[in-house]
Amino acid sequence: MLNIAVFVSGRGSNLKSLYNSVPKNKVKIAAVVSNKTTCTAVEFAQQNKIDVFFVSEKIKEGFVSYRQLADILEKFNVKLIVLAGFLKKIPDEFIDKFENKIINIHPALLPSFGGKGMYGINVHKAVWESKSKVSGATVHFVDKIYDHGKIIYQKQVDISNVSGPDDIAAKVLKIEHEILPYVVLKFSEGKIKLIDDKVIIE
Ligand code: GAR
């Protein structure tokens, strides 16, 4: 059994897709972590009796610090952290503590259309403006630079006939809901390996 924590900031469709499609005898969503106290993702977690923690870099009532969060996740035996629409930059010390144990889903084909400010619809607007014929989604390890960590898995989608950024977003979201559960399942089966700094999926 792989215990995971899912970090969210908003709608939570990737959280829902993980919850609904990854076999519960292989992966347990042990905790949901959010920087927002009210959002659809948090509601979903609470409805499904998943422990929720709010995190902030500043001291705020009802929020834990990243240092406290690290202790909590260790207590919960969390072995993989999944950023699923978590839009805050994570402090370096936290990333050091969980080296190669944090993954992120990005709504484009990295290394294109990534970096600071590239999240949500901003990404799809940039892709639309570039007149690209394909987009897609990327699951990658998180390091200290935005959208820069080693790529684990990607899938592309044809966008040659779309009507605008919202249309791209809808097509890409479908891909996200396929590849994030796929990667998490592979982690639970021990089939994702780092060999010579390259990610191999068996
Ligand atoms: C998803 O499209 C995810 O790829 C994106 O935020 C959305 C969250 O949706 N993440 C980023 O843009 C990170 N750079 P969700 O809350 O419905 O899962």
Side-chain angles (χ1 to χ4, degrees):
M1 173 74 80
L2 177 74
N3 279 357
I4 68 168
V6 183
F7 284 32
V8 296
S9 295
R11 177 179 54 186
S13 72
N14 278 290
L15 167 65
K16 283 182 205 166
S17 102
L18 278 173
Y19 184 83
N20 291 324
S21 56
V22 180
K24 297 207 170 22
N25 60 344
K26 292 200 168 172
V27 176
K28 180 180 179 203
I29 302 179
V32 162
V33 174
S34 177
N35 60 312
K36 292 211 175 130
T37 50
T38 48
C39 61
T40 326
V42 165
E43 275 165 33
F44 178 82
Q46 287 164 341
Q47 278 158 11
N48 289 285
K49 313 241 173 319
I50 304 169
D51 284 300
V52 180
F53 299 94
F54 302 115
V55 69
S56 170
E57 279 197 83
K58 294 186 192 127
I59 298 168
K60 275 204 264 180
E61 177 145 12
F63 287 73
V64 295
S65 66
Y66 278 91
R67 194 172 285 189
Q68 289 166 322
L69 182 62
D71 291 342
I72 292 168
L73 298 185
E74 264 156 27
K75 245 185 235 152
F76 277 56
N77 202 21
V78 164
K79 298 286 186 235
L80 182 71
I81 293 170
V82 180
L83 309 188
F86 187 69
L87 302 180
K88 281 270 172 195
K89 184 133 180 352
I90 294 185
D92 288 356
E93 310 80 69
F94 189 91
I95 290 174
D96 282 336
K97 252 185 208 157
F98 292 93
E99 202 190 357
N100 294 327
K101 287 189 181 137
I102 310 177
I103 63 171
N104 178 49
I105 177 102
H106 184 77
L109 295 172
L110 293 175
S112 297
F113 305 108
K116 199 167 190 293
M118 278 297 201
Y119 58 86
I121 199 67
N122 297 349
V123 178
H124 306 301
K125 280 183 182 157
V127 171
W128 170 252
E129 275 155 26
S130 76
K131 302 184 174 57
S132 299
K133 301 289 184 198
V134 292
S135 189
T138 304
V139 180
H140 64 95
F141 282 109
V142 172
D143 66 12
K144 291 170 188 161
I145 304 166
Y146 273 112
D147 300 324
H148 170 272
K150 285 181 265 304
I151 291 173
I152 301 169
Y153 194 65
Q154 298 184 290
K155 191 168 176 184
Q156 72 173 47
V157 62
D158 180 5
I159 54 162
S160 51
N161 291 318
V162 292
S163 57
D166 288 339
D167 210 2
I168 300 174
K171 280 185 185 281
V172 169
L173 195 62
K174 266 197 194 155
I175 302 284
E176 294 184 43
H177 294 167
E178 268 177 50
I179 72 170
L180 188 58
Y182 169 80
V183 168
V184 170
L185 185 61
K186 288 284 182 187
F187 263 103
S188 76
E189 294 169 341
K191 289 186 176 164
I192 297 197
K193 304 213 162 115
L194 264 169
I195 298 169
D196 294 336
D197 225 26
K198 213 176 155 214
V199 181
I200 308 288
I201 305 186
E202 291 172 341

